[in-house]
Amino acid sequence: METQIAEIAPNIYRLSTYVEDADFMFNQFLVVDEEPVLFQTGLRAIFPLVGNAVARLMPIEQLRWITFGHVEADECGSMNLWLAAAPNAEVAHGEVGCMVSVNDLADRPPRPLQDGEVMNLGSKRLRRIETPHVPHGWDAGLFYEETTSTLLCGDLFTAIGNSPALTEHEITGPALAAEDVFRATCLTPSTGPTIRALADLKPQTLGLMHGPAYAGDCSQALCDLAAAYEERLDAEGTRIHGPVSPVT
Ligand SMILES: [Fe+2]
Ligand SMILES: [Fe+2]
């Protein structure tokens, strides 16, 4: 097993580890700048592999920020190993996530980020966008790198299997197939609108945590995903409550 490196936008590197037994991949993203950022740490079990991949791109001890979408083992399991390896690094996470979990879990105090707050990394600008419960987790959020229009979209579009580093092939079908297996997405009335708001950013590239990076029509893919989840929410509501009569 090894971690593959691919540059998906200028100085934004996808670090990808495919776990054959699970037929599933785990990706992290390294933004190399004056203040380098690691988005998603990976599981503790793959820290040696991911650490080695980062070391091929820059000295690990120069990492400045460690961040992730929401608290889960694959998102932040190795956070404290990274803090130990990079003495000047701090964890940055959304305000809610810091309050609920990270203030306690992290070995050093985290930097709480407000919704829409921009981290100035030097030449790059990384904006935190809170997406509570999308795709899951009260503390869920993601990052948009404004200078390259790259949306680091975490678990959105999660797919099973191995994939190329970058693709223009459609990613909504594989995501819905994986959703049928995992049921990982929290279907609520805000799921569709939250994803559609991401489409409004008009990203050029999507960085998936479990799948390829996508360089096709990103806004269309996000709108398609939002519509598919809304259909599923309606179907689930009908299944549970039966058809709802129109309000008179
Ligand atoms: Fe997750
Ligand atoms: Fe994940």
Side-chain angles (χ1 to χ4, degrees):
M1 201 160 69
E2 65 174 320
T3 299
Q4 311 277 348
I5 301 173
E7 190 175 16
I8 61 159
N11 286 319
I12 300 180
Y13 296 89
R14 173 184 182 266
L15 316 176
S16 181
T17 309
Y18 174 64
V19 180
E20 200 167 349
D21 288 350
D23 192 23
F24 201 58
M25 59 169 38
F26 297 91
N27 304 325
Q28 302 78 39
F29 295 88
L30 179 69
V31 183
V32 177
D33 206 336
E34 284 168 36
E35 297 196 10
V37 177
L38 181 68
F39 175 64
Q40 294 157 177
T41 71
L43 302 158
R44 287 191 301 160
I46 61 169
F47 175 73
L49 294 172
V50 182
N52 185 277
V54 169
R56 280 185 267 157
L57 294 165
M58 58 165 279
I60 287 186
E61 57 273 19
Q62 287 177 15
L63 262 183
R64 181 67 183 88
W65 299 106
I66 294 158
T67 190
F68 43 87
H70 50 275
V71 172
E72 261 179 355
D74 61 345
E75 298 257 353
C76 66
S78 61
M79 137 178 91
N80 289 325
L81 298 173
W82 290 99
L83 286 177
N88 296 319
E90 289 174 67
V91 172
H93 190 43
E95 270 188 323
V96 167
C98 286
M99 178 186 71
V100 173
S101 299
V102 182
N103 285 338
D104 183 71
L105 292 177
D107 283 347
R108 294 200 287 275
R111 168 181 167 181
L113 299 172
Q114 295 187 358
D115 184 25
E117 185 170 342
V118 173
M119 301 172 76
N120 283 302
L121 307 178
S123 62
K124 293 205 165 11
R125 294 167 51 82
L126 201 57
R127 191 197 313 172
R128 170 82 186 181
I129 300 169
E130 293 297 296
T131 60
H133 304 290
V134 178
H136 47 244
W138 182 15
D139 63 321
L142 37 73
F143 284 91
Y144 185 59
E145 203 294 298
E146 295 179 345
T147 68
T148 58
S149 303
T150 302
L151 184 67
L152 300 176
C153 63
D155 284 339
L156 287 177
F157 296 102
T158 285
I160 294 167
N162 209 347
S163 55
L166 192 64
T167 187
E168 292 187 17
H169 287 129
E170 73 97 18
I171 54 174
T172 309
L176 294 173
E179 179 67 20
D180 286 339
V181 175
F182 296 135
R183 307 254 166 194
T185 301
C186 208
L187 295 177
T188 78
S190 65
T191 309
T194 301
I195 296 173
R196 245 180 235 107
L198 300 173
D200 291 343
L201 294 168
K202 309 233 177 304
Q204 297 294 304
T205 308
L206 301 176
L208 280 58
M209 185 182 196
H210 310 282
Y214 181 64
D217 187 337
C218 298
S219 293
Q220 187 62 55
L222 287 158
C223 288
D224 291 347
L225 190 68
Y229 285 146
E230 282 172 342
E231 260 177 44
R232 285 167 179 232
L233 176 64
D234 282 352
E236 196 66 0
T238 303
R239 188 182 70 78
I240 293 171
H241 303 296
V244 177
S245 309
V247 176
T248 52

